[in-house]
Amino acid sequence: MFDVLKRILVDDMQMRAEDITPAVKRTEVGIDSLAVTELATVLNSRLGIEIHDYELLELCTVGDIADLLHERSSAAGDREPTEPHPGNVAPMTLWSAHANAAPTHRP
């Protein structure tokens, strides 16, 4: 389940893959009080696992989050993760995509 979580953190939340290990503290990779809300939403939509932001805030490491995902997915019956949906893109990613887009010229 750690690999699934890592893929979500990298693909959906634009975190650096090399920074994500089971032992790293969630705050060290940027999973702060704002990011847990987004992560909880992504986990629900991609994996069908209901996890609340306050539950994620109680966990210390990325490995702890993966363990909780494993626990919940086993209880709910494993579901294959879905690909990111354009609506599941982190707000900063949307801003970056807009900021880097080629200017449009209107006649």
Side-chain angles (χ1 to χ4, degrees):
M1 190 53 77
F2 171 76
D3 291 332
V4 172
L5 174 60
K6 183 174 181 174
R7 191 170 105 199
I8 288 171
L9 292 174
V10 171
D11 294 347
D12 290 85
M13 300 187 67
Q14 316 323 197
M15 295 182 180
R16 294 173 11 141
E18 58 271 16
D19 293 341
I20 301 169
T21 66
V24 72
K25 293 184 188 296
R26 66 168 176 78
T27 54
E28 290 176 4
V29 292
I31 306 173
D32 58 14
S33 59
L34 294 174
V36 294
T37 302
E38 181 181 356
L39 180 57
T41 302
V42 172
L43 293 172
N44 186 24
S45 66
R46 295 273 308 276
L47 303 176
I49 298 173
E50 186 173 339
I51 293 180
H52 300 280
D53 54 353
Y54 61 85
E55 294 175 294
L56 295 173
L57 285 172
E58 293 172 357
L59 302 174
C60 187
T61 67
V62 173
D64 294 338
I65 297 171
D67 291 343
L68 180 60
L69 290 178
H70 178 72
E71 197 177 287
R72 295 282 170 90
S73 68
S74 296
D78 291 328
R79 174 179 157 187
E80 193 64 27
T82 59
E83 290 302 314
H85 184 276
N88 291 345
V89 177
M92 183 54 91
T93 304
L94 290 175
W95 178 85
S96 298
H98 178 69
N100 294 326
T104 56
H105 298 283
R106 296 183 187 185

